[in-house]
């Protein structure tokens, strides 16, 4: 069985937050006893399980790049910033081309429990081609891919749905991991999401 160091976390953080009206990835959320940008919380959670974690960012995200670097997170800057999520995935996979597998996470989903990430990683290490958490019957994030999908992931481009087509074509290969972690479905797209988010209610 391969060690954790052979696997890489890929954090997709190059979105433009158009529905949020501001850079949502820099929006501060509670993290322990302090506040931290949303994307940095997502990165730290992924990094707790996968010490090698890479964040895919835009070149104009100077503050985010600086803060991620302070956390020890490697960043990959997209040369083309309008290529959709597929291009971000391809860039992240290419930057960790020699990994045995990858866990792809979204920077606007900061409430996923580390234990859930650990279970997805364990499924890959135990031979699952693809693994993903399920909460109340709905598949969530992060999604893990074995190295056998490297070529397909690196070939993604201009696809707002990211790896959806790969998941659809290989649905029978996905190990679904039931969990009691609502965070796997909880993203933040609009300011209203901050008001209705169950993790942020008083």
């Amino acid at each position: 069985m391969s060690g954790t160091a052979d696997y890489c976390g890929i954090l997709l953080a190059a979105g433009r937050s158009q529905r949020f009206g501001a850079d949502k990835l820099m929006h501060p959320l509670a993290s322990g006893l302090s506040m931290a940008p949303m994307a940095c919380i997502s990165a730290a959670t992924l990094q707790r399980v996968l010490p090698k974690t890479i964040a895919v960012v835009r070149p104009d995200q100077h503050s985010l790049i600086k803060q991620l670097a302070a956390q020890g997170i490697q960043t990959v800057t997209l040369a083309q910033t309008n290529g959709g999520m597929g291009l971000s995935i391809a860039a992240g996979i290419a930057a960790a081309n020699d990994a045995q597998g990858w866990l792809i996470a979204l920077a606007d989903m900061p409430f996923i429990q580390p234990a859930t990430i650990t279970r997805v990683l364990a499924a890959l290490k135990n031979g699952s081609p693809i693994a993903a958490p399920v909460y109340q019957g709905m598949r969530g994030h992060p999604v893990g891919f074995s190295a056998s999908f490297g070529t397909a992931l690196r070939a993604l481009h201009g696809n707002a749905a990211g790896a959806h087509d790969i998941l659809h074509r290989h649905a029978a290969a996905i190990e679904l991991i039931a969990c009691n972690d609502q965070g796997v479905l909880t993203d933040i797209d609009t300011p209203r999401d901050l008001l209705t988010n169950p993790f942020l209610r008083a």
Side-chain angles (χ1 to χ4, degrees), residues 92-173:
I93 299 301
N97 199 40
D98 58 348
Q100 294 297 309
W102 308 270
L103 266 68
I104 299 175
L106 306 182
D108 64 354
M109 298 184 72
F111 306 110
I112 298 171
Q113 298 171 12
T116 302
I117 299 172
T118 298
R119 293 182 63 196
V120 175
L121 175 61
L124 287 187
K125 292 169 69 175
N126 286 326
S128 294
I130 306 174
V134 173
Y135 177 76
Q136 294 187 354
M138 298 181 66
R139 191 181 73 219
H141 294 272
V143 178
F145 292 90
S146 69
S148 62
F149 286 93
T151 299
L153 291 168
R154 288 191 299 273
L156 292 173
H157 60 89
N159 182 357
H164 176 79
D165 289 344
I166 295 175
L167 294 172
H168 180 72
R169 291 197 307 269
H170 299 278

Side-chain angles (χ1 to χ4, degrees), residues 1-193:
M1 182 184 297
S2 301
T4 299
D6 298 323
Y7 293 81
C8 182
I10 305 294
L11 186 75
L12 306 183
R16 292 193 171 275
S17 310
Q18 292 178 336
R19 285 186 286 171
F20 197 82
D23 188 355
K24 68 179 179 182
L25 298 185
M26 291 299 295
H27 185 86
L29 298 174
S31 177
L33 298 177
S34 61
M35 302 290 285
M38 182 192 310
C40 293
I41 295 173
S42 299
T45 303
L46 192 59
Q47 188 184 36
R48 281 179 61 182
V49 180
L50 290 154
K52 182 176 182 181
T53 288
I54 294 172
V56 183
V57 299
R58 302 189 317 272
D60 61 342
Q61 293 173 291
H62 304 295
S63 295
L64 178 58
I65 292 170
K66 183 177 180 180
Q67 294 201 45
L68 290 171
Q71 294 177 221
I73 301 287
Q74 176 186 343
T75 55
V76 173
T77 303
L78 287 178
Q80 179 183 346
T81 60
N82 61 349
M85 192 181 295
L87 191 62
S88 291
I89 293 173
I93 299 301
N97 199 40
D98 58 348
Q100 294 297 309
W102 308 270
L103 266 68
I104 299 175
L106 306 182
D108 64 354
M109 298 184 72
F111 306 110
I112 298 171
Q113 298 171 12
T116 302
I117 299 172
T118 298
R119 293 182 63 196
V120 175
L121 175 61
L124 287 187
K125 292 169 69 175
N126 286 326
S128 294
I130 306 174
V134 173
Y135 177 76
Q136 294 187 354
M138 298 181 66
R139 191 181 73 219
H141 294 272
V143 178
F145 292 90
S146 69
S148 62
F149 286 93
T151 299
L153 291 168
R154 288 191 299 273
L156 292 173
H157 60 89
N159 182 357
H164 176 79
D165 289 344
I166 295 175
L167 294 172
H168 180 72
R169 291 197 307 269
H170 299 278
I174 305 173
E175 179 176 351
L176 299 175
I177 302 165
C179 67
N180 187 27
D181 181 359
Q182 190 175 350
V184 305
L185 302 178
T186 306
D187 61 353
I188 296 176
D189 288 326
T190 69
R192 178 174 174 78
D193 291 337

